[in-house]
Amino acid sequence: MTTAHAADPVWVVIPAAGRGSRFGGDIPKQYLEVAGRPLIAHALEVLLSHPRVAGAVVALAADDTRWPNWESLWGKPVLRCHGGSERADSVLAALQALPAGVADTALVLVHDAARPNLRLGDIDRLIAAADAHADGAILAAPVRDTLKRADAQGDIAATEPREGLWRALTPQAFRRGALAAALERARADGVVVTDEAMAMERTGLRPRLVEGREDNIKVTTPADLALVEFLLGKASQGECE
Ligand SMILES: Nc1ccn([C@@H]2O[C@H](COP(=O)(O)OP(=O)(O)OP(=O)(O)O)[C@@H](O)[C@H]2O)c(=O)n1
Ligand SMILES: C[C@](O)(CO)[C@H](O)COP(=O)(O)O
């Protein structure tokens, strides 16, 4: 498998077609206003501000009425497509919606719309790792807590070893053609992959883990919102770089 060259343009895919069922509420969480802007705007803008990034495709729900019709940000194209019933379907649809001139060897960064607190330093290190590692790379955070397995009653059944365990974050960086093929293969096998790396691992590849910021959190429940609001406020003041 070929590796990307350091000057090649990188494209961004943002899965943003989720319903936010765990979050609840009437507004899909990706459109909740946080630190003065919709959640989806924060990560999209920091990704598009990176000099290697050429543009983005955002996967939206077919009945999405809240997309602000951005067609470009930072002078770069922001395209959109309809997502699917699973996150992986939305990612695959966005890969297929990339402009025709984007090569199969082009590096694509897949990033959750629900992760607004992304920093340029993490993007830099992820792209550098993916440029150099043919199997791709993902941002991740080492598990620092003791892990317990629950029984049916919600009591502790076991303590699981945490050595070598990491929490997968996003962006996850892979080459367009290889990622699309891996996602199509998982779909054909009837396997729902929960991240892009899982699809690539299924084909025998071993993507590189790149330690990312612990505060690159995914807004999943209302409890996450206050923390993200605080973190984005600090980021806007130039802190926590
Ligand atoms: N069919 C789907 C499901 C999820 N996503 C996106 O994938 C990201 C991470 O998913 P998650 O946090 O689970 O979002 P939701 O699926 O909306 O949340 P829930 O599982 O609570 O419904 C989100 O940006 C979400 O919009 C997507 O594009 N298409
Ligand atoms: C892709 C991801 O954010 C990596 O941790 C995670 O798998 C998304 O899970 P979700 O249940 O779709 O939010």
Side-chain angles (χ1 to χ4, degrees), residues 14 41 56 74 81-82 106 109 111 124 128 135 142 164 166 181 191 194 213 241:
I14 303 280
W74 290 79
C81 70
H82 285 167
L109 303 186
H111 184 65
D124 273 340
D135 290 5
W166 291 62
V191 172
T194 53
R213 296 171 60 105
E241 279 309 315

Side-chain angles (χ1 to χ4, degrees), residues 91-229:
V91 173
L92 184 54
L95 289 172
Q96 293 163 343
L98 284 165
V102 177
D104 270 354
T105 53
L107 209 54
V108 174
L109 303 186
V110 183
H111 184 65
D112 296 329
R115 291 184 189 269
N117 194 42
L118 177 63
R119 302 300 169 76
L120 279 173
D122 273 5
I123 300 170
D124 273 340
R125 292 187 299 107
L126 176 67
I127 290 176
D131 277 341
H133 190 61
D135 290 5
I138 74 167
L139 287 182
V143 169
R144 302 197 195 284
D145 302 304
T146 295
L147 299 176
K148 303 293 183 183
R149 183 170 299 280
D151 64 17
Q153 288 70 45
D155 299 330
I156 296 174
T159 295
E160 297 294 344
R162 67 180 176 192
E163 288 69 26
L165 292 186
W166 291 62
R167 295 185 296 110
L169 306 172
T170 68
Q172 302 197 2
F174 297 103
R175 285 150 196 93
R176 177 198 187 173
L179 179 55
L183 289 169
E184 285 165 347
R185 179 167 167 185
R187 178 190 283 176
D189 295 345
V191 172
V192 175
V193 293
T194 53
D195 71 349
E196 289 64 60
M198 182 180 167
M200 303 299 278
E201 295 156 42
R202 296 186 72 251
T203 69
L205 298 180
R206 296 169 75 88
R208 178 69 38 88
L209 289 161
V210 177
E211 185 165 354
R213 296 171 60 105
E214 293 269 358
D215 60 10
N216 175 5
I217 67 168
K218 180 164 67 73
V219 174
T220 307
T221 67
D224 301 321
L225 211 54
L227 177 54
V228 153
E229 187 98 45

Side-chain angles (χ1 to χ4, degrees), residues 14-23 29-30 59 83-87 90 112-114 218-220:
I14 303 280
R19 297 292 179 192
S21 55
R22 286 171 288 179
F23 191 94
K29 64 186 181 183
Q30 54 268 37
S85 56
E86 299 290 346
R87 182 182 174 283
S90 298
D112 296 329
K218 180 164 67 73
V219 174
T220 307

